[in-house]
Amino acid sequence: MQLTEDLVAELIFAPEQIANQPQLAQFVQACGGIQQCYALLQSLPLNAAEQRLLKLILAQPGASVDFYLQQLHIHKATFHRHQRKLLHSLTTGINQKPVLQTSRSWFAQIRQATRLPAAPPVNRAGVAYQRILHLFEQGVRLINVVGADQPSQQALVLNFAHDLGTSMNDGCLWLDLTGSPSQALSQHLLAKVQASPKPSPAELLQLFQARQVLLILAGYQTHPDDPLWLRRLLEIVPKLVVICTSSQRLKLYGEFLVPIGVPLASP
């Protein structure tokens, strides 16, 4: 994630809009909150004029240009020149900070460790494939391809991921959980990060926050810790889509089923 000068301008001039900008929200959370974020900005290498302007803006972010001119005792043209230099310096400094580099590194490691395997041939005109496609196009964000034919389920989902995963800005993550029901989903993802330090479960949620991702959970059986964490993940990552293959209903909020091979018993 790289912040632009326009986003940095919103960060300091319009902090009330941060919640509407996923990248800004992720950056503020990575800093530990808005106060820590502003402390980080003030620690960046700025000249004296930039420091004075930044301090004034952070104290009165919604003030008019005339107010800033009166407080700083400068001409309007000088103010705009200082503002341009300040935004450039802040943007350059922010994008070089470890808080962002670490987040990018963590997510890059997860992506590298969860690359899609090759997809065997599958009938893309079949009912099941078309059902997944329809749910995806309708904006459904938790799809469970459920049944007893694990190879067919995974082949179907793999082909879908290869076909549609490229439409997601941050790609597709393939997490094979076959035979691993004893560990929480968050721990499976954290295990893919080989760097030290590793993100905490809360930081793991934040890694996904501003991303558009297709997350495939192959052979998924829910762990007791999963429902709340997965629901929270879906809540804070509006562009995340999760597709599971499983032998049973997951009984998670928002789950839509695509049965394969055998009829499902009534819940």
Side-chain angles (χ1 to χ4, degrees):
M1 179 185 69
Q2 292 279 308
L3 295 188
T4 64
E5 290 187 15
D6 287 342
L7 285 173
V8 173
E10 288 202 41
L11 177 64
I12 63 174
F13 284 108
E16 72 280 0
Q17 296 298 320
I18 288 174
N20 300 323
Q21 292 284 358
Q23 284 180 285
L24 289 183
Q26 183 184 7
F27 172 67
V28 170
Q29 289 181 355
C31 291
I34 190 65
Q35 294 306 318
Q36 291 87 340
C37 173
Y38 286 166
L40 171 65
L41 298 186
Q42 291 176 300
S43 73
L44 295 174
L46 306 173
N47 64 36
E50 292 169 345
Q51 283 281 8
R52 286 196 300 271
L53 178 56
L54 176 61
K55 184 176 180 180
L56 180 59
I57 293 170
L58 295 183
Q60 297 285 341
S64 66
V65 171
D66 287 340
F67 172 83
Y68 297 136
L69 297 180
Q70 292 171 8
Q71 296 298 311
L72 296 170
H73 306 290
I74 58 177
H75 189 271
K76 190 172 184 178
T78 303
F79 168 81
H80 287 301
R81 184 172 68 253
H82 288 176
Q83 178 183 249
R84 288 193 298 272
K85 289 182 178 179
L86 173 62
L87 291 176
H88 177 74
S89 296
L90 290 176
T91 304
T92 301
I94 286 171
N95 288 330
Q96 293 175 346
K97 275 292 178 180
V99 65
L100 291 183
Q101 293 175 349
T102 299
S103 295
R104 287 196 297 269
S105 172
W106 284 338
F107 190 77
Q109 288 181 52
I110 291 174
R111 283 194 63 175
Q112 178 69 18
T114 57
R115 289 179 298 177
L116 288 174
V122 75
N123 180 14
R124 289 175 170 80
V127 173
Y129 187 96
Q130 291 301 309
R131 170 69 172 161
I132 299 172
L133 179 60
H134 174 74
L135 291 173
F136 180 83
E137 291 176 342
Q138 293 299 306
V140 172
R141 301 177 56 226
L142 179 56
I143 302 170
N144 183 8
V145 181
V146 60
D149 187 351
Q150 189 176 105
S152 295
Q153 291 166 260
Q154 295 200 7
L156 187 70
V157 171
L158 260 176
N159 276 269
F160 183 84
H162 278 284
D163 291 346
L164 275 298
T166 54
S167 68
M168 311 294 276
N169 290 341
D170 295 288
C172 177
L173 309 182
W174 172 269
L175 196 60
D176 190 349
L177 304 171
T178 307
S180 303
S182 60
Q183 195 173 30
L185 176 58
S186 60
Q187 295 304 312
H188 281 288
L189 285 167
L190 287 171
K192 303 302 180 184
V193 179
Q194 300 302 315
S196 182
K198 289 179 179 284
S200 67
E203 288 172 325
L204 180 63
L205 288 172
Q206 294 166 13
L207 290 186
F208 284 85
Q209 189 165 21
R211 302 187 185 278
Q212 185 183 44
V213 183
L214 179 61
L215 174 60
I216 307 293
L217 307 176
Y220 180 52
Q221 311 294 326
T222 56
H223 182 276
D225 293 342
D226 286 354
L228 184 61
W229 189 87
L230 188 55
R231 185 171 74 177
R232 181 63 179 147
L233 182 66
L234 288 163
E235 284 175 352
I236 70 171
V237 190
K239 295 183 179 179
L240 171 73
V241 176
V242 178
I243 301 181
C244 311
T245 68
S246 183
S247 61
Q248 60 188 0
R249 300 173 188 268
L250 305 179
K251 298 180 181 178
L252 297 176
Y253 178 78
E255 175 188 10
F256 279 70
L257 300 178
V258 179
I260 297 289
V262 294
L264 289 173
S266 299

mmCIF file of all heavy atoms in Angstrom, residues 37-44 46 51 54-55 58 90:
data_model
loop_
_atom_site.group_PDB
_atom_site.id
_atom_site.type_symbol
_atom_site.label_atom_id
_atom_site.label_comp_id
_atom_site.label_asym_id
_atom_site.label_seq_id
_atom_site.Cartn_x
_atom_site.Cartn_y
_atom_site.Cartn_z
ATOM 1 N N CYS A 37 -0.642 8.174 14.893
ATOM 2 C CA CYS A 37 -0.443 8.503 13.481
ATOM 3 C C CYS A 37 0.078 9.932 13.334
ATOM 4 O O CYS A 37 1.056 10.185 12.618
ATOM 5 C CB CYS A 37 -1.756 8.323 12.723
ATOM 6 S SG CYS A 37 -1.698 8.879 11.013
ATOM 7 N N TYR A 38 -0.554 10.872 14.038
ATOM 8 C CA TYR A 38 -0.119 12.265 13.951
ATOM 9 C C TYR A 38 1.268 12.457 14.567
ATOM 10 O O TYR A 38 2.060 13.291 14.105
ATOM 11 C CB TYR A 38 -1.146 13.178 14.613
ATOM 12 C CG TYR A 38 -2.414 13.370 13.797
ATOM 13 C CD1 TYR A 38 -3.549 13.920 14.365
ATOM 14 C CD2 TYR A 38 -2.458 12.997 12.455
ATOM 15 C CE1 TYR A 38 -4.708 14.105 13.614
ATOM 16 C CE2 TYR A 38 -3.601 13.165 11.696
ATOM 17 C CZ TYR A 38 -4.735 13.719 12.280
ATOM 18 O OH TYR A 38 -5.874 13.898 11.531
ATOM 19 N N ALA A 39 1.558 11.691 15.621
ATOM 20 C CA ALA A 39 2.902 11.756 16.200
ATOM 21 C C ALA A 39 3.940 11.282 15.185
ATOM 22 O O ALA A 39 5.045 11.840 15.083
ATOM 23 C CB ALA A 39 2.969 10.913 17.467
ATOM 24 N N LEU A 40 3.580 10.247 14.405
ATOM 25 C CA LEU A 40 4.475 9.753 13.362
ATOM 26 C C LEU A 40 4.710 10.833 12.316
ATOM 27 O O LEU A 40 5.847 11.062 11.883
ATOM 28 C CB LEU A 40 3.873 8.506 12.708
ATOM 29 C CG LEU A 40 4.582 7.979 11.456
ATOM 30 C CD1 LEU A 40 5.982 7.490 11.798
ATOM 31 C CD2 LEU A 40 3.782 6.858 10.806
ATOM 32 N N LEU A 41 3.648 11.524 11.903
ATOM 33 C CA LEU A 41 3.796 12.581 10.901
ATOM 34 C C LEU A 41 4.746 13.665 11.397
ATOM 35 O O LEU A 41 5.595 14.160 10.644
ATOM 36 C CB LEU A 41 2.430 13.203 10.580
ATOM 37 C CG LEU A 41 1.355 12.297 9.977
ATOM 38 C CD1 LEU A 41 0.127 13.109 9.590
ATOM 39 C CD2 LEU A 41 1.879 11.523 8.773
ATOM 40 N N GLN A 42 4.613 14.034 12.665
ATOM 41 C CA GLN A 42 5.441 15.111 13.201
ATOM 42 C C GLN A 42 6.891 14.680 13.419
ATOM 43 O O GLN A 42 7.766 15.529 13.591
ATOM 44 C CB GLN A 42 4.829 15.622 14.507
ATOM 45 C CG GLN A 42 3.510 16.354 14.270
ATOM 46 C CD GLN A 42 2.833 16.797 15.551
ATOM 47 O OE1 GLN A 42 2.493 15.989 16.404
ATOM 48 N NE2 GLN A 42 2.632 18.101 15.699
ATOM 49 N N SER A 43 7.131 13.366 13.412
ATOM 50 C CA SER A 43 8.506 12.875 13.572
ATOM 51 C C SER A 43 9.258 12.798 12.251
ATOM 52 O O SER A 43 10.464 12.538 12.230
ATOM 53 C CB SER A 43 8.485 11.482 14.217
ATOM 54 O OG SER A 43 8.032 10.487 13.282
ATOM 55 N N LEU A 44 8.555 13.019 11.143
ATOM 56 C CA LEU A 44 9.204 12.924 9.834
ATOM 57 C C LEU A 44 10.139 14.113 9.613
ATOM 58 O O LEU A 44 9.964 15.182 10.206
ATOM 59 C CB LEU A 44 8.133 12.882 8.734
ATOM 60 C CG LEU A 44 7.219 11.648 8.738
ATOM 61 C CD1 LEU A 44 6.106 11.809 7.698
ATOM 62 C CD2 LEU A 44 8.007 10.378 8.483
ATOM 63 N N LEU A 46 11.016 17.229 8.373
ATOM 64 C CA LEU A 46 10.388 18.392 7.745
ATOM 65 C C LEU A 46 11.205 19.641 8.087
ATOM 66 O O LEU A 46 11.823 19.708 9.154
ATOM 67 C CB LEU A 46 8.952 18.572 8.254
ATOM 68 C CG LEU A 46 7.998 17.376 8.140
ATOM 69 C CD1 LEU A 46 6.685 17.685 8.836
ATOM 70 C CD2 LEU A 46 7.770 16.997 6.684
ATOM 71 N N GLN A 51 7.013 22.162 9.472
ATOM 72 C CA GLN A 51 6.650 21.764 10.833
ATOM 73 C C GLN A 51 5.585 22.707 11.402
ATOM 74 O O GLN A 51 4.613 22.257 12.018
ATOM 75 C CB GLN A 51 7.880 21.757 11.743
ATOM 76 C CG GLN A 51 8.798 20.556 11.565
ATOM 77 C CD GLN A 51 8.261 19.309 12.277
ATOM 78 O OE1 GLN A 51 7.144 19.287 12.772
ATOM 79 N NE2 GLN A 51 9.076 18.263 12.306
ATOM 80 N N LEU A 54 2.246 22.053 9.598
ATOM 81 C CA LEU A 54 1.651 20.777 9.999
ATOM 82 C C LEU A 54 1.042 20.877 11.395
ATOM 83 O O LEU A 54 -0.084 20.413 11.634
ATOM 84 C CB LEU A 54 2.695 19.662 9.963
ATOM 85 C CG LEU A 54 2.223 18.287 10.451
ATOM 86 C CD1 LEU A 54 1.085 17.767 9.589
ATOM 87 C CD2 LEU A 54 3.382 17.295 10.473
ATOM 88 N N LYS A 55 1.762 21.481 12.331
ATOM 89 C CA LYS A 55 1.257 21.618 13.699
ATOM 90 C C LYS A 55 -0.045 22.400 13.724
ATOM 91 O O LYS A 55 -0.997 22.024 14.437
ATOM 92 C CB LYS A 55 2.314 22.310 14.559
ATOM 93 C CG LYS A 55 1.931 22.411 16.028
ATOM 94 C CD LYS A 55 3.065 23.030 16.840
ATOM 95 C CE LYS A 55 2.672 23.124 18.318
ATOM 96 N NZ LYS A 55 3.783 23.723 19.121
ATOM 97 N N LEU A 58 -2.935 20.222 12.132
ATOM 98 C CA LEU A 58 -3.387 19.149 13.023
ATOM 99 C C LEU A 58 -4.185 19.700 14.202
ATOM 100 O O LEU A 58 -5.073 19.024 14.720
ATOM 101 C CB LEU A 58 -2.181 18.344 13.535
ATOM 102 C CG LEU A 58 -1.389 17.567 12.476
ATOM 103 C CD1 LEU A 58 -0.275 16.755 13.129
ATOM 104 C CD2 LEU A 58 -2.294 16.650 11.651
ATOM 105 N N LEU A 90 5.496 14.711 3.487
ATOM 106 C CA LEU A 90 4.765 13.737 4.299
ATOM 107 C C LEU A 90 4.549 12.441 3.534
ATOM 108 O O LEU A 90 4.736 11.344 4.079
ATOM 109 C CB LEU A 90 3.416 14.314 4.735
ATOM 110 C CG LEU A 90 3.444 15.437 5.768
ATOM 111 C CD1 LEU A 90 2.026 15.951 6.014
ATOM 112 C CD2 LEU A 90 4.075 14.977 7.077
#
